[in-house]
Amino acid sequence: MSSGPATTEGFGSGCFKGAVADKYLSKYGESATLLANGNWTKDMAKADIVAKAVLDWAVDNGASVYCHWFQPMGSSGVRHGNSGQVHQSMFDFAADGTPFYSFTGEQLLQGETDGSSYPNGGMRATHTAGGYLSIDPSSPIFLREDTVFIPAGFVSYNGDALDEKTPLHRATTALDKQTKRMLKAMGYDVGSASVYANIGLEQEIFLVPRHAYYRRPDLQFTGRTITGKFPARGQEMSDHYMAPISRATAAFECMRQIQQECFKMGIPLKTRHREVAPNQYEFAPMFGNAISQVDQNLMIMQIIEEVASEHGLAALLQEKPFDGINGSGKHNNWSIGTSDGLNLMNPKQVNAKTGNAEIFPLVMAAMVSAIDKHGDLMRLAIASPGNDFRLGAMEAPPAVMSTYLGPSITEFMNNVKNGTLGTYTPQKKPLNFGTDSIPSIEVPAEDRNRTSPFPYGGNRFEFRAAGSSQNVAMVNTVLNTIAAEAFGIVADRLEKGDKALSIAQDLLTKHDKCVFNGNGYDPEWPDEAVKRGVWRIDAGCDAINELDSAKNVDLFEKMGIFSARECEARKSVLLGHYIGSVEMEALTMIDMINQHVIPSVKRADLGNPGKLNDAVKTLKGAIASIHAAAESDEHKAAQIARKMRLETMVSIRDVIDEFEGRCPPEDWTLATYQELLFLD
Ligand code: ADP
Ligand code: MG
């Protein structure tokens, strides 16, 4: 596909809502307002109409296949995305065998799949393998190529969540309920509006030449390079950052096409630029409702992979594909808003719309308490295997769950803590360029903080530590849940007659130790944080182990997100995913040593490869001890795996990289960092 510009004209033509839905529903006497809420799913006659309209739309666009599109739990986007789908044709056959188009309301609403191969953490015995799918009417149906994608929740026969989407819905419901209670007790009724999180996800990726990717079994199997001598040039010039997306590179056409395909599906992928590491790029959409943003992000990741392959590139979504240069994240910008446009994290708007100046400080105090109490859950939500190399003394942001509020809001909150409600008006300052030829501009009086994992930025929090390959449903499930709990506690006290300001005072007194406006990369901060009693969990697997702690089970049960059983099962799936990922890396390393490195060392006569043979033995031993531990204790097995990965495999890598540094390129059969990062 050769790409022209992404235009507003085709925007959303592959997304069943608005004008598109209107056009096809009107034939049956309905309009897109039918889809405004999920009520139509409770009325089979209406569902039949929607199905007919979807079918007409599909046929007009050359599609004749549908699938319920779901998000198996614990999956990661390192290879082939994070979604599940079974495709069904939208036709039936007459008695004489003639096919005709057919798609019913019942088919649209629900599906069943033999989900036996998905990880379920013991929630489903193999002989009762059914997984059940039900449409998520809050997220638009997409059309891509010959297929209609119907977003759906996925549960077991007993209703246990087997996916990432169902808990996010539960947490959104809890957030809606508790926020409304709190606001009502503060004298502000949101009426028929609903409350939900808005998110905007900045997606970082690498795009590398596909031919080089095919010469890297580690990238193909695990998404990251397990060996590779660092090249003479890295990112020291910072000359990749924001550099021209030049026509001389395949990446230019690739990025244009990614944007175009997203636009067609109504995904507002507005921002594109080069990131700081060589061959690293970023896309960001215009923010929106967290549930459909998560769906759209999964689609974006799939489109990125597919389009890249058509341009001779391989897209790497893993968090740390290369050693020695920046890894990739997915900043999760998060705010709480109402469906009629009130952003609770925007002080000016909150004051103007509610007329109550105590609401904003109360929201912020509650958020501070949520972060302080449940930093362990925030840490666990970002514990993807790839993040091992970014968090916890590896690469910033640190594994300490603090928040940055900025000096003036901190001062405002400190006054609240001392019992006075001052005024907080975000200040602007003129910025002068030192020449009359360039006009001065106005900027926020406070600079931004890039070293905090969860800074407040004037109208939203930005969870900067999320990983690039993650389905961030769990991240937002956690944020919504901890906010809901905190707002619920505030509402309880307000309903008992306590004063808003004194509630805020109490919360800040107890919890503002997690506010840290300093440099999060300062090596002294993690220890200082521990002294203050702020959550710091360096190892992702230790954070995952907290999922079923008494505190967390209590929280999730109280808020209606997970039962104790679901917590235990999810923990087991996450640990299993971690252990499996590390084992794959170790096995890949063994193969690379035997099939590539040792033969190269011999061919180029680089000396005795004895150390490499020893390394293989060490790796095999380590894998065996992980297996042995996993029999009885998955957490322990994950800890052993982590040590092998971050210590043993790193020192083996040093040996391999030293050989690579002395090997003539024609004798080295693995693609080098130079080929992966600097060929375009
Ligand atoms: P940055 O300068 O932080 O890299 P970007 O423009 O790349 O900013 O991305 C910021 C993201 O935050 C975008 O997806 C944007 O739509 C989103 N965003 C902006 N305001 C809000 C908000 N109130 N709530 C949630 N997300 C927001
Ligand atoms: Mg950005």
Side-chain angles (χ1 to χ4, degrees), residues 198-202 271 273 282 284-287 331 333-335 343 448 450 459-460 462 464:
N198 280 306
I199 62 170
L201 301 166
E202 300 167 53
T271 307
H273 64 84
E282 177 180 310
M286 165 75 189
F287 70 95
H331 297 173
N333 294 276
W334 179 87
S335 62
N343 175 3
R448 310 202 299 180
R450 312 202 86 102
N459 62 4
R460 64 189 194 257
E462 180 177 10
R464 297 176 59 83

Side-chain angles (χ1 to χ4, degrees), residues 42 53 65 79 85 95 103 106 222 300 351 355 438 458 505 514 650:
K42 294 175 187 120
V65 169
R79 197 176 153 76
Q85 46 198 276
F103 185 51
E106 200 176 320
T222 74
I300 292 170
N351 291 352
I438 299 177
Q505 240 181 311
C514 70
V650 168

Side-chain angles (χ1 to χ4, degrees), residues 656-671:
I656 297 171
D657 292 355
E658 193 273 329
F659 279 121
E660 184 185 336
R662 292 189 290 118
C663 191
E666 63 273 19
D667 289 326
W668 195 256
T669 49
L670 295 163

Side-chain angles (χ1 to χ4, degrees), residues 389-471:
F389 298 96
R390 296 177 68 229
L391 308 175
M394 301 305 283
E395 176 185 298
V400 176
M401 287 300 132
S402 63
T403 182
Y404 165 93
L405 298 182
S408 59
I409 230 177
T410 304
E411 193 190 319
F412 171 70
M413 296 306 284
N414 279 341
N415 285 336
V416 171
K417 188 175 163 184
N418 295 325
T420 22
L421 178 66
T423 46
Y424 168 70
T425 342
Q427 300 299 321
K428 297 238 175 190
K429 66 161 199 169
L431 187 63
N432 189 305
F433 285 66
T435 160
D436 282 343
S437 310
I438 299 177
S440 319
I441 53 172
E442 271 210 331
V443 293
E446 279 170 23
D447 209 353
R448 310 202 299 180
N449 186 299
R450 312 202 86 102
T451 64
S452 170
F454 199 64
Y456 172 73
N459 62 4
R460 64 189 194 257
F461 283 93
E462 180 177 10
F463 202 174
R464 297 176 59 83
S468 49
S469 74
Q470 284 192 275
N471 175 342

Side-chain angles (χ1 to χ4, degrees), residues 550-563:
K551 167 181 88 74
N552 293 333
V553 169
D554 179 59
L555 166 76
F556 284 127
E557 284 193 326
K558 199 170 65 184
M559 291 290 115
I561 319 301
F562 294 126
S563 64

Side-chain angles (χ1 to χ4, degrees), residues 71-75 163-168 471 473-474 477 570:
Q71 304 172 18
M73 78 168 131
S75 54
D163 67 351
E164 300 289 335
K165 172 180 276 262
T166 305
L168 179 56
N471 175 342
M474 185 63 173
T477 297
R570 206 156 281 256

